[in-house]
Amino acid sequence: MSGSKPDILWSPHHPDRYVICDTELGLYRIGPVGSSETKAGTLPLSEETAATLLAINSDTPYMKCVAWYPKHEPECLLAVGQANGRVVLTSLGQSHNSTCKELVGKEFVPKHARQCNTLAWNPVDSNLLAAGLDKHRADFSVLIWDISSKYSPEASVSSEKIRLSSVDLDSSSVVTKPLYELGQNDACLSLCWLLRDPKLLLAGMHRNLAIFDLRNTSQKTFVNTKAIQGVTVDPHFHDRVASFYEGQVAIWDLRKFEKPVLTLSEQPKPLIKVAWCPTRNGLLATLTRDSNIIRLYDMQHTPTPIGDETEPTIIERSVQPYESQIGSFAWHPSSQNRMVVVSAANRVMTDFTVFERISLAWSSTTSLMWACGRHLYDCVEDGAEGVDSVIEKDIATKMRQRAQSRYGHDTVQVWKNHLLAGGSDPQLKSLWYDLFYMKQCAEDIELKLQGNKQSVVYSGIKNIVKTTSGTTESRRCWSGSERQSDVPRYHSEERCLSLRLCGWISRGPDIDVEVFLRSLEQEREWERAAAVALFNLDIRRAIQILNKGATAEKGDLNLNVVAMALSGYTDEKSSLWREMCSSLRLQLKNPYLCVMFAFLTSEPGAYDGVLYESSVAVRDRVAFACMFLSDAQLPRYIDKLTNEMKEAGNLEGILLTGLTKDGVDLMESYVDLTGDVQTASFSMLKGSPGEVLKDPRVQCWIENYRNLLDAWRFWHKRAEFDIHRGKLDPSSKPLAQVFVSCNFCGKSISYSCSVMPHQGRGFSQYGVSGSPTKSKVTSCPGCRKPLPRCALCLMNMGTPVSNCPGTGKSDERLDLTRENKLAQFNNWFTWCHNCRHGGHAGHMLSWFKDHTECPVSGCTCKCMQLDTTGNLVPSDSS
């Protein structure tokens, strides 16, 4: 072994020791940087580890190969193959073991001198050492030595005595008679013992790979190939062997040894080492000459058995421990994916770990899992209360919780859906109140009588105010005061409808906000209620509300101060009150208190301080605009506000856009920001059916939400959503896709039952009633041939299950609860697609709770296990 070709051997006993072999043997101990084991002058291997030189052995020149004794005792015994064919046992460090002293220095000498190419200790019978030598026409090339044997002069030929006499050695330490001699008139370039049987030896001969059996040395199994170098057995799959020739690696299966099962892509330069990873199944590392990279081949995905005709796919990648050329490498025997790499010159060593490719997987319940090596990491969303207050939950978690609370399904009190969503999101609250007011207006009798007003309601305030006609202007006194107000107010039918959609007023021509004010007081929104009262020119009512809020439990006493300031209102332009309110109103923290004084100090028609206060609810700003902006100002303001809402994806803007194309644009911005396809799906279904539901974006949201419910295994919830969708959008009802057909005539049994009753007998639903006097569908209504029999009760299909609820027509008509409908599943036709046996669904489910095989005698089909969803339980089942 020359200095240009170093090699590395890990100790089979000490995970922190290894040997570097080139012109001499160097024993190193690896340890963490800065530990007591690593002294001054150590060699850094990585940022965390360093190596300490423990011993050097220069007693064995002309080294060509080295093998470490596999047993614990003696622990530092090495076999060294030399250029003249001799195998010398040597040691690193001093051992007090007597066995080691007897073995160290022992030599095993072939008959004819030639180079020793490879050595291999038997992993079970550790006294056996196999040596592979170059070719000699009169000698064997595979010699198996017994290291416990002794030299016997009587058994030696005279030529051996002559050759040994010239060497100054103790004759007792020289062995010249091998235990086995194999491979005559050939050369051996590589060796390895087969792990599946310690009596089998795999040798890479000159023209073939040969398997020798020590129990019958006269016979061998071989295959002709050029890939005879570096034979090595996969430690995790004992029938898989790798070998190479020049730049190509061949993978063999010993069970099908005729040809390689896999040939890896050829490298441009010759290979010098191939090694299986001892800690990772199916990972092979290769090194080419004058290269600074190590190629890795992951054969984890190899199909079994390996001997299939089709070549298996592998994952190939390269790693680069450092910039300089690599001389050799060695996998660590126990640390996962770890290796030590030595450079081709100067013995520069590196401790290197090959990181696995990380596979990520999101579960449908938002937990994240990834695999790295042998470790599997699971990252779930923290449900602690303290964390929830700081980190907002993922939208998928929110949608899942909302689906469990039947969010979106309340079609009567539509506004309650925001409570089902938790009641904490102001945008959702605004959305569902908007849809509730739209529904109220659409159901109004007067509006229905007026024809197309129902569709106008869902078109949004933006389209309603564009059609404003017959607007009247009025000036009225402040309520409770004789002073005339100089603030003009505008009235029209469309403006009143807009105020209704904002929730300020109820039915009727008069603008009466008292009901709305009382609801705000119940919700303890004192500032908002006072602002609405003030906008309706009732300053006395606003002061009353503020005083009530100040005296209420946990009320804000500062509201009394605000009420006091309101009571001093004067419409004089140059008064001190107006001047102070204009300058100090921005210091008020509550936006409604701020806009109250902005309104009182503004000039008629110039209400920017109110209209552009973004902290005030959109519905309140729009209602204010409908009361105080002229026909010229109102559409411009509504258009501008609508565009702002669409760009921001703010659901409060649905009041303006309605469920129109503009509404879909706004919802698209909202979904892009939040991913909440659940709210988008339900809200778009609430409007009157039209072109909006045909929009591909709306269909995409609906389908994605359905897929989410299926991924969460909320199959009942998804079915309820489909029913809900079918009621609101009749065009979405799917056609029947699966039929139970007759074996004889091929007609649909259920279809025939519903449209072709036989001789006047009603088949409203087959197999529902358990009454003995009721007609049963036990034969095909088309051809009258009998239906198959249940494998368990042996009754014809169509006969109801005895324990199914409902015993007569009266029960069938009256007891239509959800539980009763679901129980009828027991009567459904069920059969296995593999063995074609089946019966009533209820009977089949009961049978497979206690059995795995088909109930039909002689049939061994495991029907339920064939269904991938057979063992799944819906997550939303009670």
Side-chain angles (χ1 to χ4, degrees), residues 66-304:
V66 180
W68 201 314
Y69 185 71
K71 298 295 184 180
H72 286 276
E73 290 294 337
E75 61 179 14
C76 284
L77 184 65
L78 297 171
V80 178
Q82 295 180 310
N84 58 4
R86 297 189 178 211
V87 178
V88 180
L89 299 185
T90 186
S91 177
L92 283 166
Q94 295 181 351
S95 176
H96 300 288
N97 189 298
S98 58
T99 306
C100 182
K101 291 180 180 180
E102 292 177 2
L103 293 175
V104 171
K106 202 167 190 179
E107 288 194 17
F108 304 91
V109 184
K111 293 179 182 179
H112 301 91
R114 71 260 196 207
Q115 179 172 298
C116 181
N117 297 316
T118 179
L119 293 172
W121 291 96
N122 189 302
V124 176
D125 187 357
S126 57
N127 284 333
L128 299 183
L129 174 62
L133 298 98
D134 277 348
K135 178 180 177 180
H136 192 280
R137 62 183 179 180
D139 202 354
F140 296 89
S141 60
V142 179
L143 305 180
I144 300 177
W145 304 96
D146 184 357
I147 64 170
S148 62
S149 65
K150 295 185 178 181
Y151 173 74
S152 53
E154 295 78 8
S156 303
V157 295
S158 59
S159 61
E160 294 178 54
K161 295 180 181 179
I162 296 171
R163 183 168 58 85
L164 288 173
S165 62
S166 60
V167 182
D168 186 15
L169 287 173
D170 183 4
S171 61
S172 63
S173 65
V174 177
V175 178
T176 59
K177 181 64 177 176
L179 188 61
Y180 298 98
E181 294 178 311
L182 308 167
Q184 189 174 15
N185 197 25
D186 208 344
C188 179
L189 300 181
S190 59
L191 283 174
C192 69
W193 294 93
L194 298 186
L195 300 177
R196 67 178 185 179
D197 189 340
K199 295 294 184 181
L200 297 180
L201 178 67
L202 177 63
M205 309 304 286
H206 185 246
R207 298 182 185 87
N208 55 65
L209 284 179
I211 299 177
F212 297 101
D213 190 343
L214 302 188
R215 292 161 294 199
N216 184 5
T217 57
S218 62
Q219 293 182 355
K220 67 177 181 179
T221 303
F222 69 95
V223 57
N224 292 325
T225 179
K226 291 183 179 181
I228 56 174
Q229 295 175 304
V231 291
T232 175
V233 180
D234 186 347
H236 297 281
F237 184 15
H238 297 168
D239 286 316
R240 183 160 56 189
V241 174
S243 64
F244 67 88
Y245 169 72
E246 291 187 351
Q248 197 166 54
V249 178
I251 307 297
W252 305 83
D253 185 356
L254 299 181
R255 300 167 300 179
K256 190 177 181 181
F257 203 41
E258 294 84 8
K259 61 180 181 179
V261 294
L262 183 64
T263 302
L264 304 183
S265 56
E266 187 170 359
Q267 304 302 318
K269 293 183 180 180
L271 291 159
I272 59 175
K273 187 164 186 177
V274 169
W276 294 100
C277 179
T279 59
R280 169 75 152 74
N281 188 12
L283 184 62
L284 182 70
T286 66
L287 176 64
T288 58
R289 184 185 301 166
D290 302 330
S291 174
N292 61 351
I293 63 171
I294 296 174
R295 292 189 181 274
L296 303 175
Y297 299 89
D298 186 0
M299 280 164 270
Q300 288 293 85
H301 307 283
T302 302
T304 53

Side-chain angles (χ1 to χ4, degrees), residues 340-568:
V340 167
V341 180
V342 62
S343 65
N346 304 325
R347 279 197 183 184
V348 177
M349 296 173 286
T350 300
D351 185 3
F352 181 73
T353 299
V354 179
F355 285 98
E356 292 282 359
R357 296 183 178 211
I358 296 177
S359 301
L360 288 173
W362 281 102
S363 78
S364 58
T365 55
T366 72
S367 61
L368 174 66
M369 183 168 287
W370 65 92
C372 184
R374 295 180 181 177
H375 302 285
L376 198 62
Y377 301 92
D378 188 12
C379 178
V380 296
E381 191 172 13
D382 199 328
E385 294 181 1
V387 177
D388 282 349
S389 60
V390 180
I391 304 174
E392 188 177 4
K393 286 184 178 179
D394 182 77
I395 187 61
T397 304
K398 292 180 180 179
M399 288 193 290
R400 195 169 189 270
Q401 293 173 348
R402 292 169 186 172
Q404 289 175 315
S405 63
R406 303 192 77 248
Y407 169 71
H409 285 278
D410 197 327
T411 56
V412 181
Q413 298 292 332
V414 179
W415 62 272
K416 288 186 177 179
N417 284 305
H418 94 89
L419 298 177
L420 297 176
S424 59
D425 192 328
Q427 285 199 51
L428 292 185
K429 181 177 180 180
S430 174
L431 170 69
W432 289 110
Y433 267 104
D434 288 341
L435 296 176
F436 173 66
Y437 294 137
M438 289 179 186
K439 178 176 178 293
Q440 265 192 335
C441 294
E443 291 176 348
D444 192 288
I445 298 176
E446 292 181 5
L447 292 179
K448 285 185 178 180
L449 294 176
Q450 293 174 19
N452 64 347
K453 283 296 182 71
Q454 183 173 359
S455 61
V456 170
V457 166
Y458 286 102
S459 66
I461 291 179
K462 175 184 175 182
N463 293 311
I464 292 174
V465 298
K466 285 182 179 179
T467 61
T468 299
S469 60
T471 302
T472 59
E473 180 181 340
S474 65
R475 297 174 186 267
R476 51 171 285 195
C477 298
W478 286 97
S479 180
S481 172
E482 296 298 328
R483 288 184 297 174
Q484 181 73 24
S485 169
D486 62 348
V487 180
R489 294 181 59 182
Y490 300 90
H491 304 272
S492 71
E493 184 181 346
E494 288 77 14
R495 290 176 185 251
C496 286
L497 178 58
S498 299
L499 289 175
R500 286 194 63 185
L501 293 176
C502 291
W504 275 31
I505 62 174
S506 302
R507 280 185 54 199
D510 299 329
I511 299 178
D512 183 12
V513 297
E514 186 59 33
V515 176
F516 182 50
L517 293 178
R518 289 174 184 169
S519 67
L520 293 177
E521 287 179 327
Q522 289 179 354
E523 295 176 10
R524 301 177 65 85
E525 296 185 39
W526 311 108
E527 296 87 351
R528 185 183 177 194
V532 173
L534 185 66
F535 296 157
N536 284 273
L537 304 183
D538 195 345
I539 195 169
R540 188 177 294 277
R541 182 78 171 95
I543 293 172
Q544 177 187 351
I545 292 172
L546 291 173
N547 288 330
K548 187 175 181 180
T551 57
E553 184 180 357
K554 296 183 181 179
D556 186 1
L557 296 178
N558 292 328
L559 294 181
N560 278 329
V561 179
V562 178
M564 189 186 307
L566 278 182
S567 63

Side-chain angles (χ1 to χ4, degrees), residues 565-857:
L566 278 182
S567 63
Y569 166 70
T570 175
D571 55 2
E572 293 181 13
K573 305 295 188 214
S574 59
S575 65
L576 179 61
W577 184 92
R578 182 180 290 266
E579 180 183 345
M580 294 303 297
C581 287
S582 298
S583 60
L584 297 178
R585 69 179 183 85
L586 296 177
Q587 298 181 17
L588 295 171
K589 294 181 179 180
N590 190 284
Y592 283 97
L593 298 180
C594 184
V595 297
M596 287 168 63
F597 290 102
F599 171 64
L600 293 176
T601 57
S602 299
E603 296 295 328
Y607 301 111
D608 289 358
V610 178
L611 298 174
Y612 296 103
E613 177 58 61
S614 60
S615 299
V616 173
V618 170
R619 68 178 62 255
D620 294 331
R621 286 188 276 162
V622 171
F624 178 87
C626 290
M627 294 174 65
F628 295 105
L629 293 186
S630 65
D631 285 350
Q633 293 174 307
L634 182 59
R636 288 199 302 268
Y637 172 71
I638 296 296
D639 285 346
K640 184 176 181 181
L641 187 59
T642 301
N643 291 332
E644 290 179 4
M645 296 294 106
K646 285 167 63 176
E647 290 178 4
N650 191 334
L651 292 182
E652 293 183 80
I654 290 292
L655 174 69
L656 305 173
T657 63
L659 301 180
T660 61
K661 184 180 182 302
D662 282 341
V664 177
D665 292 340
L666 186 151
M667 191 62 71
E668 182 179 27
S669 298
Y670 171 76
V671 173
D672 289 344
L673 287 172
T674 63
D676 187 2
V677 293
Q678 182 184 46
T679 298
S681 302
F682 277 111
S683 59
M684 287 297 146
L685 287 170
K686 296 299 180 185
S688 55
E691 296 299 321
V692 171
L693 291 176
K694 297 178 183 178
D695 191 299
R697 293 172 291 180
V698 177
Q699 293 299 319
C700 178
W701 299 332
I702 292 174
E703 289 305 315
N704 275 303
Y705 180 55
R706 295 178 72 252
N707 293 337
L708 265 179
L709 292 174
D710 284 335
W712 292 329
R713 290 163 44 182
F714 283 5
W715 298 311
H716 295 160
K717 303 293 183 189
R718 200 258 304 143
E720 289 178 4
F721 175 76
D722 288 342
I723 295 170
H724 176 79
R725 177 188 178 190
K727 291 177 180 177
L728 299 176
D729 180 17
S731 64
S732 68
K733 289 184 178 179
L735 298 174
Q737 296 170 319
V738 179
F739 303 95
V740 179
S741 61
C742 175
N743 278 333
F744 300 97
C745 67
K747 292 183 179 179
S748 169
I749 295 173
S750 55
Y751 181 73
S752 301
C753 292
S754 60
V755 300
M756 292 191 304
H758 182 71
Q759 297 180 358
R761 286 183 290 179
F763 297 110
S764 60
Q765 186 173 3
Y766 58 87
V768 172
S769 172
S771 172
T773 61
K774 184 172 178 63
S775 300
K776 306 180 183 66
V777 185
T778 58
S779 60
C780 172
C783 64
R784 305 302 298 159
K785 293 291 180 66
L787 297 180
R789 295 179 182 273
C790 174
L792 288 165
C793 68
L794 302 182
M795 302 291 288
N796 289 96
M797 296 302 298
T799 304
V801 178
S802 58
N803 60 356
C804 184
T807 56
K809 290 185 178 180
S810 60
D811 293 328
E812 210 173 296
R813 292 175 182 172
L814 299 177
D815 189 11
L816 296 178
T817 61
R818 178 173 180 266
E819 290 75 12
N820 187 44
K821 288 182 180 180
L822 291 178
Q824 294 170 8
F825 174 74
N826 291 336
N827 300 320
W828 284 22
F829 290 23
T830 309
W831 64 92
C832 172
H833 284 267
N834 185 43
C835 66
R836 301 295 180 181
H837 298 143
H840 295 109
H843 293 163
M844 292 293 108
L845 289 174
S846 299
W847 171 266
F848 284 112
K849 284 181 180 178
D850 302 317
H851 306 82
T852 58
E853 291 189 352
C854 178
V856 175
S857 300

